[in-house]
Amino acid sequence: MSQDEDILAVAREGFLDEARDMLRQFEQALLTMEQDPSDAEAVNSAFRAAHTVKGTAGLFGFDAVVRFTHEVESLLESMRSGELALSDEAMALLLQGRDQMERLLAEIGLDAQDPDVAQTSLTLGEALRALRERGAPALGQGLASAALSGGADPSRLVAESVPAAGGVWHISLRMGIDALRNGLDPLSFIRYLSTLGEVRGIHTVTDAIPDLAALDPESCFLGFEIRLATEADRATIEGVFEFMLDDCSLTVLAPDAASADYERLLDARAPDTQPEAREHLLAAWQSLAGPGAAPFIERREDVPERRANEPERRSGAKERRGGDETRFIRVRADKLDHLIDLIGELVIASSGAQMVARTEQSPTFGEAAQRISDLVQEARDGALGLRMMPIGETFSRFQRVVRDVSKQLEKDVELAISGGDTEMDKQMVETIADPLMHLVRNSLDHGLEGPAERLAAGKPAQGRICLNAYHESGSVVLEVSDDGRGLNRDRILAKAMERGLIEPDADLDDEQVYQLIFMPGFSTAEQVTNLSGRGVGMDVVKRNVEGLRGQIRVSSRPGQGATIQIRLPLTLAIIDGFLTSVGGVSYVLPLELVAECLEVPAECQSQPDRVAGHFDLRGEVLPYLDIGRFYRHSGTPAARRSLVLVRDGSTRVGLIVDRLHGEHQTVIKPLGQVFQDIKGLAGSTILGSGEVALILDVPALLDLATTRLSSAAGSRGQAARTVAGVHSEPR
Amino acid sequence: MQTPNAPIAARGVPQGEDIASAGDIVQFLRLSLGSEKYAVQINAVREILQMVPTTPLPLMPPFVRGVMNLRGAVVPVVDLGARLDLPATDVGRRTCVVIVDVPGIDERRPQTLGLLVDAVYEVFDAPVADQEAVPRLGTRIDPGFIRSMVRIRGESTAELNLSAILDQQLLARLIACHATDPLSEALTALA
Amino acid sequence: MIMSDSVIDVGGASGGWRLSGELTIQHAATQGEQLRQWIDAGMMSVDLSAVEACDSSGVQLLVAARRSVAARGQSLELRDASAPVRDVFGRFALTGLLSSDVVTREHP
């Protein structure tokens, strides 16, 4: 590709990314509108999203997108200005419109356009237009007669009921020459103003329009002086023009503005060098103020004390910008990854420097090395934070799915979302989205009953799916729960035996039975419907979760519902670690899991060959695992060993190690593909000395210990069972 | 065109330049495992290091020596002799680690591994035409691990089929099984 | 290249010049060109009954057209404005520029 094509390709990707974000926002706003038709902000949000897509598409020349999106935007605009009310028909068309926009975006960059898609643009576009035209009351009359006709337009009625005491604001607007080119038509903003109150008067400044020969029809030469009676505050009024600020000059004067303010405005709009323009403007203001108002007299003398008020009154585009909105910039993911890799290397190098300081026994160097280490830690947290994003965005995608699928299945289902602001590594969010979707569809399809069945069971007709997310002990927990039928233990067992997945005489507890649904080969053709199937399957869900070094658990109450809980590590890159050694090998534990460190209690030392057991901690009986023995490290263990108490879900387990080495910033390095299926190790890291240390995956290690010890014992004895991580109840 | 003396097609993923015509020269690295000499094609070899410290991983089959630090990357180290069911390598003065690249699972990025060997000798050239078929009996190691027989200094030397020996999918499975079930040590022996 | 679905109609039923199609930014260039030609040909009255849509760009065109005609000492009548044109001009309080014939004719 040539360099130009490269640049274009990158810009196009950026556009598509942003457009997809806008479509999400659009859909979310639509669904909100459906729930609450009076939510004006939702209509605005939908309009903004469509407007942004259209505008940016226009810059790139993606005409098909522009043409179709224009119809969507126009329909929303008439809703925004109160001319059209929301109806089922409008909602259906708008949602279809969103889908069509998605299709059009997908076609960008392709050589061949699908004629079906083009046809849909035409028919759907016409439907949108027809609805808009049908719904709008007769606009043939001008502004004055519309107010007289009364009853035809609800927004006008609202305007008339605004008491005059609300205040009349003066809005002076001069459009930038590129405004129309950039997709901003002052017409729509002025239409919208009438929803804030009553436009008492408007003067269109046409002075700047040249004659036809000199006119570039796509440039904008218009200005407006508007008198608006409203109870709204400045922020709301200025908010109407928020889109346009880069392409216009806006001044809003409050009802109690002093004449000095008007003088300043006059100077700005028509300086002394243009006497004719000043005349026109003054005359316009006079006619706007109405026959009873005092004439605008131009005063020549300066009034210094009034000028002091200037910063408050004036609101140019510059001051408005950089305000309360959070600013975002778009960053390439690979650049971010590279930065994080570098910081990882910095962490290791800093560790090495600290080691040298220790060996050289130089306190000054030690201090300097510590300072570097602290800064590196901050930089590390900052960089990792860049990759975090709230999972709520992913969760809200499911609203649409639940709405559509539940209608299709003729079930009444509500989706409740909580913990949407829980943050996760961006890559993990993207990987977990599909498995989550599958779980939601599974609940919709198999878990939840139809309304009749629910009522017969004494439940409310409306079923409920809850998506929940929270942080716990250094992990992110995601839960999908429903109040449907729950899992049928006997049926699962029977099916698993039928498929030869387990021995006929296997003795399994509830949790183990439920885990059978994740085994490959469990789902069958009859279960795989076209809604939740498509070759995804629960085994793929589990594999994806474990690929992220996570665990998946199921709990269920027959007849009442089921909860699937996914536990994932907080980050894949760098963690705060706690360094220990066992049998000459260094192991790192996630610091967040470390609750306490003690000397090994007497009862653990008593039997030399015990790998696991129990001990008493201030009256509480807790399980422990001797890592050295479990991992069969050869050689005699150190004389004085330590016990590290770690959190596992809602309980704690003791891990016996040889030595403790304290906190350690740990850069996680993958172990290599050949180790991808082993349990208990989350990766490796390089210490300052160059030695490779292993990172323990504590929940998986405890699971592994349970499995090995119980199969070794030949029965699920008390000791083996209690070493297992106890699965916390879903919140 | 196949002749009776042409090398048997490589098992698993083809390693390096498989398709060489009769006149071509191929380069080999000669090494020893125990008292036996073997050869590997040089195009898979990235570098050769003297013995380096390795960190052992717990509950591994005998052929997994552990992992090492290769300039900041963590690389698995395989005891090649143990992998071929020869006695495990005793670390001595001449012990080396041969760093190789092999294809990853599902055609993903190639994986880097270190092979622990008793000693390396030299790199030598051998014309393709001099390569002979693998005998079905009488080889010290499993014939499936041998790609061809190469004649060096008059001796017939087995050329190791690294793709088969180090097949990532197979190794991952062997390692995973061994870790979860101590009885699979027996299975490893049969693999 | 003329890319528009706006039909440019010379000599409508009333014997004058009649603009039709859309007086919007997408078609502004074409419509503007048309107006220029007609003005050069001496047009002093334009029939707007067949205009299907109008936006700010359309308003500018018509104001500019009036300016061009005024420059040669005459005035351009904006006649029989269709509903969309009346709507926009009304919003901009420029109804005074339209001919005072209040009867509107919907586009057939």
Side-chain angles (χ1 to χ4, degrees):
Chain A
M1 264 203 281
S2 76
Q3 196 177 13
D4 282 346
E5 286 170 5
D6 277 335
I7 295 173
L8 203 57
V10 169
R12 194 163 49 214
E13 268 318 301
F15 162 71
L16 286 173
D17 255 347
E18 188 189 62
R20 276 179 224 121
D21 277 344
M22 288 296 110
L23 281 189
R24 266 195 283 275
Q25 180 181 322
F26 184 68
E27 189 179 71
Q28 189 56 47
L30 288 180
L31 292 174
T32 308
M33 276 161 67
E34 194 177 30
Q35 308 276 359
D36 181 8
S38 69
D39 186 344
E41 184 45 41
V43 182
N44 271 339
S45 176
F47 173 84
R48 274 201 292 272
H51 184 82
T52 307
V53 171
K54 186 182 100 166
T56 334
L59 290 175
F60 280 87
F62 298 140
D63 291 335
V65 177
V66 174
R67 271 197 302 271
F68 179 75
T69 309
H70 177 73
E71 297 301 342
V72 174
E73 185 200 48
S74 303
L75 184 64
L76 282 166
E77 197 218 299
S78 42
M79 284 181 178
R80 209 161 81 116
S81 60
E83 288 164 12
L84 183 67
L86 183 62
S87 59
D88 281 345
E89 184 188 356
M91 178 55 67
L93 281 179
L94 285 169
L95 282 173
Q96 284 173 44
R98 176 233 167 264
D99 292 341
Q100 177 64 4
M101 281 159 72
E102 189 170 38
R103 272 177 233 125
L104 288 169
L105 287 172
E107 282 198 334
I108 288 174
L110 297 182
D111 290 325
Q113 314 291 304
D114 186 346
D116 283 340
V117 174
Q119 183 58 42
T120 311
S121 280
L122 283 176
T123 38
L124 192 52
E126 274 194 34
L128 287 162
R129 205 177 322 149
L131 179 63
R132 178 167 43 105
E133 284 163 8
R134 200 183 338 132
L139 290 172
Q141 303 94 7
L143 212 60
S145 32
L148 288 174
S149 68
D153 189 339
S155 72
R156 301 278 154 70
L157 285 175
V158 169
E160 279 163 2
S161 65
V162 168
V168 179
W169 295 68
H170 186 96
I171 301 169
S172 173
L173 184 64
R174 294 291 181 274
M175 300 302 295
I177 194 161
D178 288 323
L180 293 178
R181 253 188 285 277
N182 292 342
L184 299 159
D185 190 332
L187 194 53
S188 51
F189 297 98
I190 288 167
R191 275 206 185 106
Y192 186 60
L193 265 183
S194 52
T195 63
L196 290 186
E198 183 195 342
V199 176
R200 289 279 173 85
I202 179 170
H203 173 84
T204 303
V205 179
T206 54
D207 295 358
I209 301 178
D211 65 25
L212 204 50
L215 173 74
D216 174 357
E218 292 181 9
S219 295
C220 190
F221 303 96
L222 296 171
F224 304 91
E225 301 289 322
I226 304 169
R227 305 285 291 173
L228 178 71
T230 177
E231 285 190 321
D233 62 7
R234 174 179 292 277
T236 313
I237 296 173
E238 287 175 355
V240 170
F241 301 94
E242 119 188 54
F243 279 122
M244 301 197 342
L245 292 175
D246 285 344
D247 278 302
C248 74
S249 163
L250 172 74
T251 301
V252 176
L253 297 179
D256 56 353
S259 37
D261 300 314
Y262 282 96
E263 279 171 39
R264 268 190 288 282
L265 181 56
L266 184 62
D267 284 338
R269 294 292 183 231
D272 280 343
T273 48
Q274 302 167 16
E276 234 183 72
R278 281 177 91 88
E279 285 291 319
H280 283 168
L281 191 53
L282 279 171
W285 283 357
Q286 194 63 57
S287 66
L288 282 176
F296 281 96
I297 297 172
E298 241 203 273
R299 288 221 303 238
R300 292 277 159 206
E301 312 87 63
D302 274 353
V303 185
E305 60 270 19
R306 292 252 172 82
R307 279 197 191 267
N309 286 332
E310 184 169 339
E312 272 179 52
R313 303 285 189 197
R314 291 291 199 109
S315 66
K318 290 203 186 82
E319 281 154 75
R320 184 73 170 76
R321 223 177 303 154
D324 39 44
E325 291 182 35
T326 1
R327 289 175 52 79
F328 291 91
I329 55 170
R330 198 169 281 280
V331 172
R332 277 174 59 157
D334 56 354
K335 286 189 179 175
L336 188 53
D337 287 344
H338 181 61
L339 179 66
I340 290 179
D341 281 346
L342 278 177
I343 294 199
E345 297 309 316
L346 250 182
V347 168
I348 295 177
S350 153
S351 211
Q354 284 185 297
M355 257 201 59
V356 171
R358 270 196 295 276
T359 22
E360 298 292 308
Q361 296 185 324
S362 158
T364 36
F365 184 24
E367 268 178 51
Q370 181 62 45
R371 176 96 181 106
I372 292 179
S373 170
D374 290 340
L375 287 169
V376 167
Q377 198 159 359
E378 268 191 66
R380 177 206 82 180
D381 289 341
L384 287 179
L386 291 176
R387 285 172 56 113
M388 304 289 266
M389 62 183 262
I391 188 130
E393 291 178 34
T394 306
F395 278 174
S396 357
R397 265 188 248 166
F398 297 170
Q399 291 281 15
R400 176 82 188 275
V401 173
V402 170
R403 177 196 178 277
D404 290 347
V405 172
S406 59
K407 276 202 164 89
Q408 220 173 328
L409 295 174
E410 289 175 356
K411 294 180 184 175
D412 183 8
V413 181
E414 184 208 346
L415 177 66
I417 294 178
S418 57
D421 52 3
T422 305
E423 289 196 331
M424 273 176 66
D425 184 285
K426 182 172 171 29
Q427 201 181 333
M428 300 184 79
V429 169
E430 282 161 18
T431 313
I432 207 69
D434 279 345
L436 278 180
M437 176 72 79
H438 183 79
L439 293 176
V440 169
R441 286 189 136 150
N442 213 51
S443 278
L444 278 170
D445 208 19
H446 306 301
L448 288 171
E449 318 94 323
E453 196 182 328
R454 286 181 67 88
L455 287 170
K459 296 189 203 179
Q462 187 184 60
R464 216 164 163 209
I465 296 182
C466 294
L467 286 175
N468 190 17
Y470 54 92
H471 287 159
E472 185 185 73
S473 306
S475 305
V476 176
V477 183
L478 306 172
E479 291 176 344
V480 181
S481 45
D482 65 61
D483 62 352
R485 299 184 183 104
L487 270 65
N488 185 326
R489 185 210 150 99
D490 294 331
R491 201 134 49 113
I492 294 175
L493 216 83
K495 190 182 282 194
M497 286 196 203
E498 192 187 303
R499 305 213 189 294
L501 297 171
I502 51 169
E503 294 301 305
D505 60 353
D507 180 18
L508 305 169
D509 67 16
D510 285 357
E511 171 79 30
Q512 288 166 316
V513 172
Y514 297 147
Q515 284 285 327
L516 292 172
I517 64 178
F518 296 117
M519 294 196 70
F522 185 83
S523 312
T524 58
E526 51 172 285
Q527 265 205 318
V528 171
T529 65
N530 73 335
L531 290 175
S532 63
R534 295 200 208 129
V536 176
M538 291 297 236
D539 58 325
V540 176
V541 172
K542 182 169 185 186
R543 207 171 336 132
N544 278 356
V545 169
E546 292 186 338
L548 292 172
R549 298 254 166 234
Q551 291 91 41
I552 184 164
R553 308 230 201 277
V554 183
S555 61
S556 164
R557 291 166 308 266
Q560 290 179 38
T563 299
I564 302 199
Q565 190 191 75
I566 295 176
R567 191 175 281 266
L568 298 169
L570 208 45
T571 171
L572 301 171
I574 306 181
I575 59 169
D576 284 317
F578 187 78
L579 189 59
T580 66
S581 53
V582 184
V585 177
S586 300
Y587 289 95
V588 175
L589 300 164
L591 186 62
E592 258 168 328
L593 294 184
V594 175
E596 226 181 300
C597 297
L598 351 148
E599 267 196 43
V600 177
E603 59 258 54
C604 309
Q605 310 266 37
S606 54
Q607 283 163 284
D609 291 330
R610 274 204 83 136
V611 177
H614 285 87
F615 70 104
D616 179 288
L617 179 70
R618 300 185 289 269
E620 199 186 342
V621 176
L622 296 173
Y624 75 84
L625 175 69
D626 187 321
I627 294 196
R629 288 178 193 152
F630 180 63
Y631 277 160
R632 311 233 194 94
H633 279 288
S634 53
T636 44
R640 292 184 56 189
R641 301 197 292 161
S642 298
L643 182 138
V644 181
L645 198 63
V646 294
R647 282 178 266 270
D648 174 49
S650 55
T651 60
R652 290 171 301 166
V653 177
L655 299 176
I656 297 184
V657 300
D658 286 351
R659 295 190 57 197
L660 306 173
H661 298 286
E663 290 180 37
H664 184 267
Q665 280 197 62
T666 306
V667 180
I668 302 182
K669 300 210 174 238
L671 277 168
Q673 224 174 45
V674 287
F675 300 118
Q676 68 183 13
D677 291 329
I678 61 171
K679 308 265 193 290
L681 293 178
S684 59
T685 186
I686 296 183
L687 303 179
S689 60
E691 177 197 340
V692 179
L694 304 176
I695 302 172
L696 288 177
D697 177 354
V698 172
L701 170 63
L702 296 174
D703 273 355
L704 177 65
T706 314
T707 321
R708 281 194 77 133
L709 295 175
S710 57
S711 60
S715 67
R716 294 174 306 110
Q718 200 57 24
R721 197 206 282 257
T722 49
V723 170
V726 174
H727 316 308
S728 48
E729 279 297 312
R731 286 188 192 171
Chain B
M1 192 173 75
Q2 291 276 11
T3 68
N5 285 337
I8 294 173
R11 309 257 176 99
V13 181
Q15 158 197 323
E17 315 297 68
D18 241 18
I19 310 157
S21 51
D24 282 1
I25 306 282
V26 184
Q27 288 195 308
F28 294 94
L29 172 69
R30 197 162 71 100
L31 49 89
S32 70
L33 301 170
S35 52
E36 305 276 313
K37 308 282 187 296
Y38 296 92
V40 296
Q41 282 202 20
I42 203 71
N43 54 18
V45 177
R46 269 178 44 177
E47 59 189 291
I48 301 166
L49 308 169
Q50 286 185 323
M51 184 56 194
V52 294
T54 52
T55 300
L57 261 59
L59 306 177
M60 287 291 123
F63 62 83
V64 176
R65 184 79 185 188
V67 288
M68 64 174 277
N69 175 358
L70 183 66
R71 292 181 297 275
V74 174
V75 167
V77 179
V78 170
D79 183 330
L80 191 53
R83 174 71 182 113
L84 301 176
D85 296 321
L86 301 170
T89 310
D90 275 335
V91 175
R93 190 175 49 86
R94 304 188 62 182
T95 311
C96 292
V97 177
V98 179
I99 307 289
V100 296
D101 281 336
V102 292
I105 299 179
D106 298 338
E107 292 146 33
R108 278 189 267 158
R109 307 190 312 275
Q111 298 288 301
T112 305
L113 294 178
L115 303 177
L116 191 66
V117 300
D118 283 324
V120 299
Y121 297 104
E122 76 279 22
V123 176
F124 64 91
D125 297 338
V128 172
D130 276 6
Q131 293 186 308
E132 297 157 4
V134 180
R136 235 168 287 223
L137 300 170
T139 54
R140 181 84 205 277
I141 61 177
D142 184 334
F145 290 150
I146 304 177
R147 212 166 153 267
S148 75
M149 301 300 292
V150 189
R151 197 150 276 279
I152 315 162
R153 299 168 192 256
E155 261 183 71
S156 192
T157 311
E159 180 210 340
L160 296 177
N161 184 344
L162 289 183
S163 312
I165 297 169
L166 301 175
D167 179 278
Q168 298 288 286
Q169 186 123 28
L170 175 60
L171 289 188
R173 227 176 345 177
L174 292 173
I175 288 169
C177 287
H178 196 271
T180 50
D181 182 1
L183 292 179
S184 73
E185 275 165 276
L187 289 172
T188 331
L190 291 169
Chain C
M1 172 172 81
I2 294 181
M3 46 149 263
S4 67
D5 44 38
S6 62
V7 173
I8 305 202
D9 179 8
V10 178
S14 49
W17 284 270
R18 187 168 80 151
L19 265 186
S20 53
E22 301 191 3
L23 260 181
T24 56
I25 187 169
Q26 285 101 321
H27 309 293
T30 330
Q31 300 279 32
E33 185 50 44
Q34 186 63 76
L35 282 167
R36 261 191 286 275
Q37 286 175 19
W38 291 349
I39 288 173
D40 286 346
M43 167 179 79
M44 284 182 12
S45 165
V46 61
D47 179 337
L48 299 174
S49 60
V51 173
E52 294 167 9
C54 183
D55 67 4
S56 295
S57 181
V59 169
Q60 284 184 164
L61 273 180
L62 292 174
V63 169
R66 281 173 51 89
R67 288 237 156 96
S68 296
V69 173
R72 58 170 196 233
Q74 296 167 322
S75 104
L76 175 67
E77 187 193 9
L78 305 178
R79 208 174 76 241
D80 293 334
S82 65
V85 174
R86 284 204 169 268
D87 173 45
V88 177
F89 272 75
R91 293 268 178 194
F92 287 166
L94 294 173
T95 328
L97 298 181
L98 303 174
S99 119
S100 55
D101 186 354
V102 178
V103 173
T104 63
R105 192 189 316 149
E106 295 297 306
H107 180 57

